[in-house]
Amino acid sequence: MATDSPPPSKTEHRLPSTEEFARVQESAEFGELRRSYRSFAFPLTVAFIAWYLLYVLLSNYAGGFMGTKLFGNINVALVFGIAQFVTTFLIAWWYARHAAAKLDPKAEAIKTRMEGGA
């Protein structure tokens, strides 16, 4: 049975001490990593929750508007509902790109330094 994962590493990684974790957590590099994550994730989370709540509120209190037929049996509510799924996938794709470009290299550098003892 073939797998896509690489074989386990033969080299042993040393485990950092509690003091090393605390020192790294207080470092400017770790602060920058955390800021990069928060400046992306928090605003998008708030925006998506607002978008979702708008959909729910319009569905409950603006039935006439949501029931407006756009073409055939397609109404505003169906279009907004499908847009919820589309925005979910777009945000996930956008976050994956952001993490690969900005977060993962910084996190890997910190991890390598901690495991290597540098």
PDB file of all heavy atoms in Angstrom, residues 9-45:
ATOM      1  N   SER A   9      11.482  10.867   9.728  1.00  0.00           N
ATOM      2  CA  SER A   9      12.865  11.354   9.757  1.00  0.00           C
ATOM      3  C   SER A   9      13.702  10.486  10.694  1.00  0.00           C
ATOM      4  O   SER A   9      13.244  10.063  11.743  1.00  0.00           O
ATOM      5  CB  SER A   9      12.879  12.802  10.247  1.00  0.00           C
ATOM      6  OG  SER A   9      14.204  13.234  10.385  1.00  0.00           O
ATOM      7  N   LYS A  10      14.927  10.247  10.299  1.00  0.00           N
ATOM      8  CA  LYS A  10      15.845   9.446  11.114  1.00  0.00           C
ATOM      9  C   LYS A  10      16.506  10.293  12.205  1.00  0.00           C
ATOM     10  O   LYS A  10      17.015   9.772  13.172  1.00  0.00           O
ATOM     11  CB  LYS A  10      16.940   8.823  10.232  1.00  0.00           C
ATOM     12  CG  LYS A  10      16.399   7.941   9.142  1.00  0.00           C
ATOM     13  CD  LYS A  10      16.123   6.557   9.661  1.00  0.00           C
ATOM     14  CE  LYS A  10      15.803   5.652   8.486  1.00  0.00           C
ATOM     15  NZ  LYS A  10      14.633   4.874   8.675  1.00  0.00           N
ATOM     16  N   THR A  11      16.520  11.624  12.004  1.00  0.00           N
ATOM     17  CA  THR A  11      17.165  12.483  12.982  1.00  0.00           C
ATOM     18  C   THR A  11      16.217  12.777  14.138  1.00  0.00           C
ATOM     19  O   THR A  11      15.015  12.924  13.946  1.00  0.00           O
ATOM     20  CB  THR A  11      17.601  13.813  12.345  1.00  0.00           C
ATOM     21  OG1 THR A  11      16.448  14.478  11.831  1.00  0.00           O
ATOM     22  CG2 THR A  11      18.599  13.586  11.233  1.00  0.00           C
ATOM     23  N   GLU A  12      16.772  12.845  15.307  1.00  0.00           N
ATOM     24  CA  GLU A  12      15.993  13.158  16.499  1.00  0.00           C
ATOM     25  C   GLU A  12      15.939  14.676  16.668  1.00  0.00           C
ATOM     26  O   GLU A  12      16.948  15.357  16.538  1.00  0.00           O
ATOM     27  CB  GLU A  12      16.640  12.523  17.732  1.00  0.00           C
ATOM     28  CG  GLU A  12      16.499  11.025  17.782  1.00  0.00           C
ATOM     29  CD  GLU A  12      15.059  10.571  17.962  1.00  0.00           C
ATOM     30  OE1 GLU A  12      14.317  11.208  18.741  1.00  0.00           O
ATOM     31  OE2 GLU A  12      14.671   9.587  17.309  1.00  0.00           O
ATOM     32  N   HIS A  13      14.773  15.180  16.957  1.00  0.00           N
ATOM     33  CA  HIS A  13      14.612  16.607  17.250  1.00  0.00           C
ATOM     34  C   HIS A  13      14.592  16.767  18.761  1.00  0.00           C
ATOM     35  O   HIS A  13      13.908  16.030  19.458  1.00  0.00           O
ATOM     36  CB  HIS A  13      13.309  17.143  16.658  1.00  0.00           C
ATOM     37  CG  HIS A  13      13.257  17.089  15.173  1.00  0.00           C
ATOM     38  ND1 HIS A  13      13.974  17.952  14.370  1.00  0.00           N
ATOM     39  CD2 HIS A  13      12.574  16.287  14.329  1.00  0.00           C
ATOM     40  CE1 HIS A  13      13.741  17.677  13.108  1.00  0.00           C
ATOM     41  NE2 HIS A  13      12.887  16.665  13.055  1.00  0.00           N
ATOM     42  N   ARG A  14      15.346  17.736  19.234  1.00  0.00           N
ATOM     43  CA  ARG A  14      15.313  17.955  20.673  1.00  0.00           C
ATOM     44  C   ARG A  14      14.087  18.791  21.018  1.00  0.00           C
ATOM     45  O   ARG A  14      13.641  19.630  20.233  1.00  0.00           O
ATOM     46  CB  ARG A  14      16.610  18.618  21.123  1.00  0.00           C
ATOM     47  CG  ARG A  14      16.622  20.076  21.026  1.00  0.00           C
ATOM     48  CD  ARG A  14      17.885  20.693  21.607  1.00  0.00           C
ATOM     49  NE  ARG A  14      17.747  22.115  21.461  1.00  0.00           N
ATOM     50  CZ  ARG A  14      17.020  22.872  22.265  1.00  0.00           C
ATOM     51  NH1 ARG A  14      16.406  22.351  23.289  1.00  0.00           N
ATOM     52  NH2 ARG A  14      16.909  24.166  22.042  1.00  0.00           N
ATOM     53  N   LEU A  15      13.528  18.540  22.169  1.00  0.00           N
ATOM     54  CA  LEU A  15      12.362  19.286  22.619  1.00  0.00           C
ATOM     55  C   LEU A  15      12.810  20.531  23.364  1.00  0.00           C
ATOM     56  O   LEU A  15      13.637  20.446  24.275  1.00  0.00           O
ATOM     57  CB  LEU A  15      11.485  18.423  23.520  1.00  0.00           C
ATOM     58  CG  LEU A  15      10.833  17.226  22.847  1.00  0.00           C
ATOM     59  CD1 LEU A  15      10.082  16.395  23.872  1.00  0.00           C
ATOM     60  CD2 LEU A  15       9.905  17.681  21.747  1.00  0.00           C
ATOM     61  N   PRO A  16      12.282  21.694  22.986  1.00  0.00           N
ATOM     62  CA  PRO A  16      12.662  22.933  23.671  1.00  0.00           C
ATOM     63  C   PRO A  16      12.134  22.943  25.107  1.00  0.00           C
ATOM     64  O   PRO A  16      11.108  22.343  25.416  1.00  0.00           O
ATOM     65  CB  PRO A  16      11.997  24.025  22.845  1.00  0.00           C
ATOM     66  CG  PRO A  16      11.621  23.384  21.563  1.00  0.00           C
ATOM     67  CD  PRO A  16      11.436  21.933  21.847  1.00  0.00           C
ATOM     68  N   SER A  17      12.809  23.667  25.955  1.00  0.00           N
ATOM     69  CA  SER A  17      12.382  23.792  27.344  1.00  0.00           C
ATOM     70  C   SER A  17      11.258  24.827  27.455  1.00  0.00           C
ATOM     71  O   SER A  17      11.010  25.605  26.527  1.00  0.00           O
ATOM     72  CB  SER A  17      13.559  24.214  28.220  1.00  0.00           C
ATOM     73  OG  SER A  17      13.936  25.536  27.891  1.00  0.00           O
ATOM     74  N   THR A  18      10.622  24.859  28.600  1.00  0.00           N
ATOM     75  CA  THR A  18       9.557  25.829  28.854  1.00  0.00           C
ATOM     76  C   THR A  18      10.090  27.254  28.747  1.00  0.00           C
ATOM     77  O   THR A  18       9.421  28.137  28.204  1.00  0.00           O
ATOM     78  CB  THR A  18       8.963  25.589  30.250  1.00  0.00           C
ATOM     79  OG1 THR A  18       8.525  24.224  30.338  1.00  0.00           O
ATOM     80  CG2 THR A  18       7.791  26.502  30.529  1.00  0.00           C
ATOM     81  N   GLU A  19      11.295  27.464  29.236  1.00  0.00           N
ATOM     82  CA  GLU A  19      11.895  28.796  29.179  1.00  0.00           C
ATOM     83  C   GLU A  19      12.145  29.226  27.728  1.00  0.00           C
ATOM     84  O   GLU A  19      11.973  30.388  27.381  1.00  0.00           O
ATOM     85  CB  GLU A  19      13.213  28.839  29.964  1.00  0.00           C
ATOM     86  CG  GLU A  19      13.053  28.673  31.456  1.00  0.00           C
ATOM     87  CD  GLU A  19      12.863  27.215  31.892  1.00  0.00           C
ATOM     88  OE1 GLU A  19      13.250  26.297  31.142  1.00  0.00           O
ATOM     89  OE2 GLU A  19      12.296  27.015  32.981  1.00  0.00           O
ATOM     90  N   GLU A  20      12.571  28.286  26.898  1.00  0.00           N
ATOM     91  CA  GLU A  20      12.790  28.603  25.481  1.00  0.00           C
ATOM     92  C   GLU A  20      11.477  28.968  24.793  1.00  0.00           C
ATOM     93  O   GLU A  20      11.423  29.894  23.988  1.00  0.00           O
ATOM     94  CB  GLU A  20      13.453  27.422  24.770  1.00  0.00           C
ATOM     95  CG  GLU A  20      14.894  27.223  25.167  1.00  0.00           C
ATOM     96  CD  GLU A  20      15.476  25.942  24.607  1.00  0.00           C
ATOM     97  OE1 GLU A  20      14.827  24.881  24.719  1.00  0.00           O
ATOM     98  OE2 GLU A  20      16.580  26.024  24.031  1.00  0.00           O
ATOM     99  N   PHE A  21      10.410  28.230  25.120  1.00  0.00           N
ATOM    100  CA  PHE A  21       9.099  28.568  24.559  1.00  0.00           C
ATOM    101  C   PHE A  21       8.685  29.975  24.982  1.00  0.00           C
ATOM    102  O   PHE A  21       8.205  30.759  24.166  1.00  0.00           O
ATOM    103  CB  PHE A  21       8.032  27.561  25.002  1.00  0.00           C
ATOM    104  CG  PHE A  21       7.935  26.352  24.134  1.00  0.00           C
ATOM    105  CD1 PHE A  21       8.278  25.104  24.630  1.00  0.00           C
ATOM    106  CD2 PHE A  21       7.496  26.441  22.826  1.00  0.00           C
ATOM    107  CE1 PHE A  21       8.182  23.979  23.838  1.00  0.00           C
ATOM    108  CE2 PHE A  21       7.395  25.323  22.029  1.00  0.00           C
ATOM    109  CZ  PHE A  21       7.744  24.086  22.533  1.00  0.00           C
ATOM    110  N   ALA A  22       8.866  30.283  26.252  1.00  0.00           N
ATOM    111  CA  ALA A  22       8.491  31.607  26.751  1.00  0.00           C
ATOM    112  C   ALA A  22       9.319  32.698  26.075  1.00  0.00           C
ATOM    113  O   ALA A  22       8.788  33.746  25.703  1.00  0.00           O
ATOM    114  CB  ALA A  22       8.670  31.664  28.266  1.00  0.00           C
ATOM    115  N   ARG A  23      10.612  32.456  25.895  1.00  0.00           N
ATOM    116  CA  ARG A  23      11.488  33.442  25.245  1.00  0.00           C
ATOM    117  C   ARG A  23      11.058  33.678  23.795  1.00  0.00           C
ATOM    118  O   ARG A  23      11.004  34.816  23.335  1.00  0.00           O
ATOM    119  CB  ARG A  23      12.939  32.949  25.314  1.00  0.00           C
ATOM    120  CG  ARG A  23      13.936  34.023  25.395  1.00  0.00           C
ATOM    121  CD  ARG A  23      15.361  33.596  25.680  1.00  0.00           C
ATOM    122  NE  ARG A  23      15.749  32.249  25.283  1.00  0.00           N
ATOM    123  CZ  ARG A  23      15.959  31.242  26.147  1.00  0.00           C
ATOM    124  NH1 ARG A  23      15.797  31.426  27.437  1.00  0.00           N
ATOM    125  NH2 ARG A  23      16.326  30.059  25.710  1.00  0.00           N
ATOM    126  N   VAL A  24      10.749  32.599  23.085  1.00  0.00           N
ATOM    127  CA  VAL A  24      10.315  32.744  21.691  1.00  0.00           C
ATOM    128  C   VAL A  24       8.973  33.461  21.624  1.00  0.00           C
ATOM    129  O   VAL A  24       8.753  34.309  20.766  1.00  0.00           O
ATOM    130  CB  VAL A  24      10.246  31.359  20.997  1.00  0.00           C
ATOM    131  CG1 VAL A  24       9.504  31.447  19.677  1.00  0.00           C
ATOM    132  CG2 VAL A  24      11.639  30.813  20.778  1.00  0.00           C
ATOM    133  N   GLN A  25       8.070  33.132  22.543  1.00  0.00           N
ATOM    134  CA  GLN A  25       6.757  33.768  22.543  1.00  0.00           C
ATOM    135  C   GLN A  25       6.860  35.271  22.767  1.00  0.00           C
ATOM    136  O   GLN A  25       6.049  36.032  22.258  1.00  0.00           O
ATOM    137  CB  GLN A  25       5.875  33.140  23.613  1.00  0.00           C
ATOM    138  CG  GLN A  25       4.447  33.600  23.570  1.00  0.00           C
ATOM    139  CD  GLN A  25       3.580  32.883  24.578  1.00  0.00           C
ATOM    140  OE1 GLN A  25       4.059  32.125  25.407  1.00  0.00           O
ATOM    141  NE2 GLN A  25       2.296  33.128  24.511  1.00  0.00           N
ATOM    142  N   GLU A  26       7.854  35.704  23.486  1.00  0.00           N
ATOM    143  CA  GLU A  26       8.049  37.127  23.751  1.00  0.00           C
ATOM    144  C   GLU A  26       8.878  37.823  22.676  1.00  0.00           C
ATOM    145  O   GLU A  26       9.013  39.047  22.690  1.00  0.00           O
ATOM    146  CB  GLU A  26       8.727  37.311  25.109  1.00  0.00           C
ATOM    147  CG  GLU A  26       7.849  36.882  26.263  1.00  0.00           C
ATOM    148  CD  GLU A  26       8.602  36.792  27.581  1.00  0.00           C
ATOM    149  OE1 GLU A  26       9.827  37.050  27.591  1.00  0.00           O
ATOM    150  OE2 GLU A  26       7.957  36.471  28.581  1.00  0.00           O
ATOM    151  N   SER A  27       9.405  37.069  21.714  1.00  0.00           N
ATOM    152  CA  SER A  27      10.270  37.659  20.691  1.00  0.00           C
ATOM    153  C   SER A  27       9.481  38.487  19.684  1.00  0.00           C
ATOM    154  O   SER A  27       8.286  38.289  19.482  1.00  0.00           O
ATOM    155  CB  SER A  27      11.046  36.560  19.952  1.00  0.00           C
ATOM    156  OG  SER A  27      10.181  35.828  19.106  1.00  0.00           O
ATOM    157  N   ALA A  28      10.189  39.413  19.044  1.00  0.00           N
ATOM    158  CA  ALA A  28       9.571  40.261  18.012  1.00  0.00           C
ATOM    159  C   ALA A  28       9.137  39.426  16.812  1.00  0.00           C
ATOM    160  O   ALA A  28       8.102  39.708  16.195  1.00  0.00           O
ATOM    161  CB  ALA A  28      10.550  41.339  17.573  1.00  0.00           C
ATOM    162  N   GLU A  29       9.915  38.403  16.482  1.00  0.00           N
ATOM    163  CA  GLU A  29       9.581  37.548  15.340  1.00  0.00           C
ATOM    164  C   GLU A  29       8.252  36.815  15.555  1.00  0.00           C
ATOM    165  O   GLU A  29       7.419  36.746  14.659  1.00  0.00           O
ATOM    166  CB  GLU A  29      10.706  36.544  15.112  1.00  0.00           C
ATOM    167  CG  GLU A  29      10.523  35.698  13.872  1.00  0.00           C
ATOM    168  CD  GLU A  29      11.650  34.698  13.686  1.00  0.00           C
ATOM    169  OE1 GLU A  29      12.336  34.346  14.664  1.00  0.00           O
ATOM    170  OE2 GLU A  29      11.831  34.270  12.534  1.00  0.00           O
ATOM    171  N   PHE A  30       8.058  36.295  16.761  1.00  0.00           N
ATOM    172  CA  PHE A  30       6.807  35.601  17.066  1.00  0.00           C
ATOM    173  C   PHE A  30       5.646  36.602  17.098  1.00  0.00           C
ATOM    174  O   PHE A  30       4.546  36.306  16.635  1.00  0.00           O
ATOM    175  CB  PHE A  30       6.919  34.863  18.400  1.00  0.00           C
ATOM    176  CG  PHE A  30       5.735  33.988  18.688  1.00  0.00           C
ATOM    177  CD1 PHE A  30       5.620  32.740  18.091  1.00  0.00           C
ATOM    178  CD2 PHE A  30       4.736  34.401  19.553  1.00  0.00           C
ATOM    179  CE1 PHE A  30       4.532  31.925  18.349  1.00  0.00           C
ATOM    180  CE2 PHE A  30       3.647  33.602  19.812  1.00  0.00           C
ATOM    181  CZ  PHE A  30       3.541  32.353  19.209  1.00  0.00           C
ATOM    182  N   GLY A  31       5.908  37.789  17.628  1.00  0.00           N
ATOM    183  CA  GLY A  31       4.880  38.834  17.632  1.00  0.00           C
ATOM    184  C   GLY A  31       4.453  39.205  16.224  1.00  0.00           C
ATOM    185  O   GLY A  31       3.267  39.414  15.957  1.00  0.00           O
ATOM    186  N   GLU A  32       5.418  39.273  15.310  1.00  0.00           N
ATOM    187  CA  GLU A  32       5.100  39.570  13.911  1.00  0.00           C
ATOM    188  C   GLU A  32       4.271  38.449  13.281  1.00  0.00           C
ATOM    189  O   GLU A  32       3.331  38.706  12.523  1.00  0.00           O
ATOM    190  CB  GLU A  32       6.387  39.796  13.118  1.00  0.00           C
ATOM    191  CG  GLU A  32       6.186  40.048  11.643  1.00  0.00           C
ATOM    192  CD  GLU A  32       5.289  41.230  11.331  1.00  0.00           C
ATOM    193  OE1 GLU A  32       5.310  42.216  12.092  1.00  0.00           O
ATOM    194  OE2 GLU A  32       4.557  41.165  10.330  1.00  0.00           O
ATOM    195  N   LEU A  33       4.616  37.207  13.595  1.00  0.00           N
ATOM    196  CA  LEU A  33       3.845  36.064  13.094  1.00  0.00           C
ATOM    197  C   LEU A  33       2.409  36.138  13.596  1.00  0.00           C
ATOM    198  O   LEU A  33       1.461  35.968  12.832  1.00  0.00           O
ATOM    199  CB  LEU A  33       4.497  34.752  13.534  1.00  0.00           C
ATOM    200  CG  LEU A  33       3.743  33.462  13.208  1.00  0.00           C
ATOM    201  CD1 LEU A  33       3.608  33.277  11.706  1.00  0.00           C
ATOM    202  CD2 LEU A  33       4.465  32.275  13.835  1.00  0.00           C
ATOM    203  N   ARG A  34       2.255  36.422  14.871  1.00  0.00           N
ATOM    204  CA  ARG A  34       0.913  36.520  15.449  1.00  0.00           C
ATOM    205  C   ARG A  34       0.136  37.687  14.835  1.00  0.00           C
ATOM    206  O   ARG A  34      -1.050  37.561  14.536  1.00  0.00           O
ATOM    207  CB  ARG A  34       1.034  36.685  16.962  1.00  0.00           C
ATOM    208  CG  ARG A  34      -0.263  36.477  17.666  1.00  0.00           C
ATOM    209  CD  ARG A  34      -0.156  36.456  19.152  1.00  0.00           C
ATOM    210  NE  ARG A  34       1.154  36.836  19.615  1.00  0.00           N
ATOM    211  CZ  ARG A  34       1.567  36.688  20.841  1.00  0.00           C
ATOM    212  NH1 ARG A  34       0.789  36.150  21.735  1.00  0.00           N
ATOM    213  NH2 ARG A  34       2.772  37.080  21.207  1.00  0.00           N
ATOM    214  N   ARG A  35       0.805  38.828  14.639  1.00  0.00           N
ATOM    215  CA  ARG A  35       0.145  39.980  14.002  1.00  0.00           C
ATOM    216  C   ARG A  35      -0.287  39.663  12.581  1.00  0.00           C
ATOM    217  O   ARG A  35      -1.374  40.040  12.152  1.00  0.00           O
ATOM    218  CB  ARG A  35       1.078  41.193  14.003  1.00  0.00           C
ATOM    219  CG  ARG A  35       0.829  42.175  15.103  1.00  0.00           C
ATOM    220  CD  ARG A  35       1.650  43.450  14.957  1.00  0.00           C
ATOM    221  NE  ARG A  35       3.081  43.225  14.783  1.00  0.00           N
ATOM    222  CZ  ARG A  35       3.920  42.886  15.747  1.00  0.00           C
ATOM    223  NH1 ARG A  35       3.477  42.722  16.973  1.00  0.00           N
ATOM    224  NH2 ARG A  35       5.204  42.715  15.509  1.00  0.00           N
ATOM    225  N   SER A  36       0.572  38.963  11.828  1.00  0.00           N
ATOM    226  CA  SER A  36       0.219  38.589  10.454  1.00  0.00           C
ATOM    227  C   SER A  36      -1.033  37.715  10.426  1.00  0.00           C
ATOM    228  O   SER A  36      -1.899  37.893   9.578  1.00  0.00           O
ATOM    229  CB  SER A  36       1.365  37.830   9.795  1.00  0.00           C
ATOM    230  OG  SER A  36       2.454  38.662   9.567  1.00  0.00           O
ATOM    231  N   TYR A  37      -1.095  36.787  11.360  1.00  0.00           N
ATOM    232  CA  TYR A  37      -2.263  35.905  11.436  1.00  0.00           C
ATOM    233  C   TYR A  37      -3.513  36.691  11.816  1.00  0.00           C
ATOM    234  O   TYR A  37      -4.541  36.606  11.157  1.00  0.00           O
ATOM    235  CB  TYR A  37      -2.022  34.776  12.443  1.00  0.00           C
ATOM    236  CG  TYR A  37      -3.275  34.003  12.746  1.00  0.00           C
ATOM    237  CD1 TYR A  37      -3.795  33.105  11.819  1.00  0.00           C
ATOM    238  CD2 TYR A  37      -3.968  34.203  13.923  1.00  0.00           C
ATOM    239  CE1 TYR A  37      -4.961  32.424  12.070  1.00  0.00           C
ATOM    240  CE2 TYR A  37      -5.128  33.524  14.184  1.00  0.00           C
ATOM    241  CZ  TYR A  37      -5.625  32.632  13.260  1.00  0.00           C
ATOM    242  OH  TYR A  37      -6.797  31.968  13.519  1.00  0.00           O
ATOM    243  N   ARG A  38      -3.400  37.456  12.893  1.00  0.00           N
ATOM    244  CA  ARG A  38      -4.572  38.186  13.398  1.00  0.00           C
ATOM    245  C   ARG A  38      -5.070  39.244  12.421  1.00  0.00           C
ATOM    246  O   ARG A  38      -6.275  39.439  12.296  1.00  0.00           O
ATOM    247  CB  ARG A  38      -4.246  38.827  14.739  1.00  0.00           C
ATOM    248  CG  ARG A  38      -4.138  37.824  15.850  1.00  0.00           C
ATOM    249  CD  ARG A  38      -3.798  38.504  17.146  1.00  0.00           C
ATOM    250  NE  ARG A  38      -3.774  37.530  18.226  1.00  0.00           N
ATOM    251  CZ  ARG A  38      -3.356  37.801  19.434  1.00  0.00           C
ATOM    252  NH1 ARG A  38      -2.922  39.005  19.732  1.00  0.00           N
ATOM    253  NH2 ARG A  38      -3.363  36.865  20.350  1.00  0.00           N
ATOM    254  N   SER A  39      -4.140  39.929  11.748  1.00  0.00           N
ATOM    255  CA  SER A  39      -4.572  40.990  10.829  1.00  0.00           C
ATOM    256  C   SER A  39      -5.298  40.418   9.621  1.00  0.00           C
ATOM    257  O   SER A  39      -6.027  41.128   8.934  1.00  0.00           O
ATOM    258  CB  SER A  39      -3.381  41.834  10.386  1.00  0.00           C
ATOM    259  OG  SER A  39      -2.512  41.070   9.577  1.00  0.00           O
ATOM    260  N   PHE A  40      -5.113  39.139   9.353  1.00  0.00           N
ATOM    261  CA  PHE A  40      -5.838  38.494   8.250  1.00  0.00           C
ATOM    262  C   PHE A  40      -7.098  37.808   8.765  1.00  0.00           C
ATOM    263  O   PHE A  40      -8.186  38.008   8.228  1.00  0.00           O
ATOM    264  CB  PHE A  40      -4.939  37.471   7.553  1.00  0.00           C
ATOM    265  CG  PHE A  40      -5.558  36.871   6.329  1.00  0.00           C
ATOM    266  CD1 PHE A  40      -5.408  37.489   5.104  1.00  0.00           C
ATOM    267  CD2 PHE A  40      -6.304  35.707   6.402  1.00  0.00           C
ATOM    268  CE1 PHE A  40      -5.989  36.950   3.967  1.00  0.00           C
ATOM    269  CE2 PHE A  40      -6.888  35.169   5.276  1.00  0.00           C
ATOM    270  CZ  PHE A  40      -6.724  35.790   4.057  1.00  0.00           C
ATOM    271  N   ALA A  41      -6.964  36.990   9.787  1.00  0.00           N
ATOM    272  CA  ALA A  41      -8.060  36.131  10.219  1.00  0.00           C
ATOM    273  C   ALA A  41      -9.197  36.893  10.898  1.00  0.00           C
ATOM    274  O   ALA A  41     -10.368  36.629  10.620  1.00  0.00           O
ATOM    275  CB  ALA A  41      -7.531  35.045  11.151  1.00  0.00           C
ATOM    276  N   PHE A  42      -8.878  37.810  11.788  1.00  0.00           N
ATOM    277  CA  PHE A  42      -9.940  38.474  12.542  1.00  0.00           C
ATOM    278  C   PHE A  42     -10.857  39.325  11.665  1.00  0.00           C
ATOM    279  O   PHE A  42     -12.080  39.199  11.759  1.00  0.00           O
ATOM    280  CB  PHE A  42      -9.362  39.280  13.701  1.00  0.00           C
ATOM    281  CG  PHE A  42      -8.837  38.432  14.834  1.00  0.00           C
ATOM    282  CD1 PHE A  42      -8.191  39.024  15.895  1.00  0.00           C
ATOM    283  CD2 PHE A  42      -8.972  37.053  14.855  1.00  0.00           C
ATOM    284  CE1 PHE A  42      -7.691  38.254  16.941  1.00  0.00           C
ATOM    285  CE2 PHE A  42      -8.481  36.271  15.889  1.00  0.00           C
ATOM    286  CZ  PHE A  42      -7.844  36.880  16.933  1.00  0.00           C
ATOM    287  N   PRO A  43     -10.332  40.210  10.812  1.00  0.00           N
ATOM    288  CA  PRO A  43     -11.248  40.996   9.975  1.00  0.00           C
ATOM    289  C   PRO A  43     -12.097  40.130   9.043  1.00  0.00           C
ATOM    290  O   PRO A  43     -13.285  40.404   8.851  1.00  0.00           O
ATOM    291  CB  PRO A  43     -10.315  41.899   9.163  1.00  0.00           C
ATOM    292  CG  PRO A  43      -9.068  41.981   9.950  1.00  0.00           C
ATOM    293  CD  PRO A  43      -8.943  40.659  10.644  1.00  0.00           C
ATOM    294  N   LEU A  44     -11.502  39.080   8.477  1.00  0.00           N
ATOM    295  CA  LEU A  44     -12.289  38.209   7.606  1.00  0.00           C
ATOM    296  C   LEU A  44     -13.354  37.452   8.381  1.00  0.00           C
ATOM    297  O   LEU A  44     -14.461  37.236   7.868  1.00  0.00           O
ATOM    298  CB  LEU A  44     -11.382  37.213   6.876  1.00  0.00           C
ATOM    299  CG  LEU A  44     -10.919  37.669   5.513  1.00  0.00           C
ATOM    300  CD1 LEU A  44      -9.976  36.664   4.888  1.00  0.00           C
ATOM    301  CD2 LEU A  44     -12.073  37.943   4.592  1.00  0.00           C
ATOM    302  N   THR A  45     -13.039  37.049   9.587  1.00  0.00           N
ATOM    303  CA  THR A  45     -14.027  36.356  10.417  1.00  0.00           C
ATOM    304  C   THR A  45     -15.196  37.274  10.731  1.00  0.00           C
ATOM    305  O   THR A  45     -16.363  36.881  10.594  1.00  0.00           O
ATOM    306  CB  THR A  45     -13.383  35.856  11.721  1.00  0.00           C
ATOM    307  OG1 THR A  45     -12.323  34.954  11.389  1.00  0.00           O
ATOM    308  CG2 THR A  45     -14.394  35.153  12.607  1.00  0.00           C
TER     309      THR A  45
END
